[in-house]
Amino acid sequence: MVAHESVDDVLETVAAVAPDVRDGLPGRRLTEAGVENPSGETVTAADVHADELFFEALGAIDGVVEYASEERESVVDVGDGAPGDGNVAVAIDPLDGSSNLASNNAMGTVVGVAEDSLPAAGEALVAAAYVLYGPITTMTVAREGTVTTYVLDGGEMRAVEEDVTLPEEPVVYGFGGRVPDWPDAFREYAREVETELKLRYGGAMVGDVNQVLSYGGIFAYPALESAPNGKLRLQFEGAPIAKIVEAAGGASSDGEQSLLAVEPTELHQRVPVHVGNGAYVDRLEAALAD
Ligand SMILES: O=P(O)(O)OC[C@H]1O[C@](O)(COP(=O)(O)O)[C@@H](O)[C@@H]1O
Ligand SMILES: [Mg+2]
Ligand SMILES: [Mg+2]
């Protein structure tokens, strides 16, 4: 098998499983799983269910040899051999923004496909995608330098927008964390941005990034005084989202460099995430460097 066939299989499988994840949400509303994930966060029954569905389906693909999830402590070997030579590793945030289930707001799934063992840097990703469980279930895929958005119809991928690019005139911003917890330099930057753009923050990274991809602007979950690496995880959130935003003509940063260049040292490490139009990311980096 060659790598692109494994990548096709992974993307088609994520698309096929996503409707089942969605169908499983109503019955798991307001149900905690009673455990913490490796990041020390409360896990909902919906997080566990999504992880199980993706693990079963993705782990069964011939060319997938490693599976790592935000909900699992370590990488699981699910095939013979190592990533490379047609084999791939899959890193997944099975349900992003799952605290939005209680309030019935948008959530997502984020997936990165690498030809390297996990944890792998964003530069090693051969494809990245997110599913958005909004009024419509869509899937946005970055592959071979271009981004395509699909509507998922009964698990089938129907392309609705090819060569997705960030609009040149930015319109929206969304920043996570509490204002008093933001470092001074970020707070000053945010004060400027809020005079220029409209606030769009829904509390699920996938939904908030999709606003930026649709209207242009910037999304950030920055470093916090109480958490210098922010909240989001490099492997499961920052790197795949950066791959998609950069392939769509935007930029990403951990505050100093592209998120794709950040070398992971731990599977669940966190990283400050800033993604959006290049001009806003450049200004952010300049503001943090002062
Ligand atoms: O509740 P906050 O602090 O705004 O955090 C929201 C962020 O946390 C997340 O929900 C974390 O992702 P998970 O739901 O996958 O843990 C992001 O989707 C979102 O950007
Ligand atoms: Mg998440
Ligand atoms: Mg999650």
Side-chain angles (χ1 to χ4, degrees):
M1 181 169 306
V2 287
H4 72 85
E5 288 175 7
S6 301
V7 176
D8 286 345
D9 288 350
V10 168
L11 296 172
E12 284 164 16
T13 300
V14 170
V17 170
D20 296 337
V21 171
R22 184 173 186 123
D23 289 347
L25 296 174
R28 291 173 178 79
R29 208 161 164 204
L30 306 178
T31 323
E32 289 182 2
V35 290
E36 285 189 349
N37 70 12
S39 302
E41 294 160 350
T42 305
V43 174
T44 70
D47 289 309
V48 174
H49 185 238
D51 175 61
E52 282 169 357
L53 292 178
F54 284 120
F55 176 72
E56 293 270 310
L58 292 167
I61 297 173
D62 271 353
V64 174
V65 293
E66 289 184 9
Y67 175 94
S69 156
E70 190 181 273
E71 308 305 341
R72 291 174 191 246
E73 195 68 49
S74 21
V75 180
V76 187
D77 287 328
V78 288
D80 295 330
D85 290 335
N87 291 331
V88 296
V90 176
I92 193 161
D93 177 354
L95 201 53
D96 174 64
S98 53
S99 64
N100 273 2
L101 185 52
S103 58
N104 189 23
N105 280 290
M107 287 171 286
T109 292
V110 191
V111 60
V113 187
E115 282 190 272
D116 259 346
S117 273
L118 303 173
E123 277 163 356
L125 296 180
V126 288
Y130 63 73
V131 176
L132 174 56
Y133 307 100
I136 309 164
T137 307
T138 54
M139 181 163 159
T140 296
V141 177
R143 206 176 165 186
E144 286 154 16
T146 66
V147 178
T148 308
T149 293
Y150 303 85
V151 165
L152 301 187
D153 273 339
E156 296 291 319
M157 298 163 73
R158 180 164 57 83
V160 288
E161 195 182 347
E162 296 189 357
D163 292 321
V164 175
T165 44
L166 266 77
E168 275 173 31
E169 286 298 322
V171 176
V172 300
Y173 76 98
F175 298 153
R178 292 179 179 80
V179 178
D181 206 8
W182 288 347
D184 290 347
F186 185 82
R187 197 156 53 227
E188 280 165 34
Y189 169 76
R191 288 282 96 93
E192 280 179 29
V193 172
E194 68 191 18
T195 66
E196 300 164 19
L197 304 178
K198 289 196 285 190
L199 173 62
R200 285 288 184 276
Y201 189 75
M205 180 193 66
V206 164
D208 293 328
V209 168
N210 200 60
Q211 293 263 12
V212 169
L213 218 52
S214 305
Y215 300 113
I218 180 159
F219 165 81
Y221 207 109
L224 303 176
E225 294 289 354
S226 64
N229 292 322
K231 176 175 186 188
L232 302 178
R233 281 132 298 219
L234 175 63
Q235 186 73 85
F236 304 109
E237 294 161 322
I241 284 297
K243 179 158 179 88
I244 295 166
V245 173
E246 290 199 18
S252 78
S253 178
D254 68 350
E256 290 178 359
Q257 60 180 338
S258 162
L259 284 163
L260 300 179
V262 179
E263 280 298 330
T265 51
E266 286 169 43
L267 187 61
H268 294 277
Q269 86 191 57
R270 298 177 194 266
V271 71
V273 169
H274 316 85
V275 292
N277 287 72
Y280 274 92
V281 174
D282 288 349
R283 274 170 63 190
L284 176 273
E285 287 187 343
L288 296 190
D290 279 348

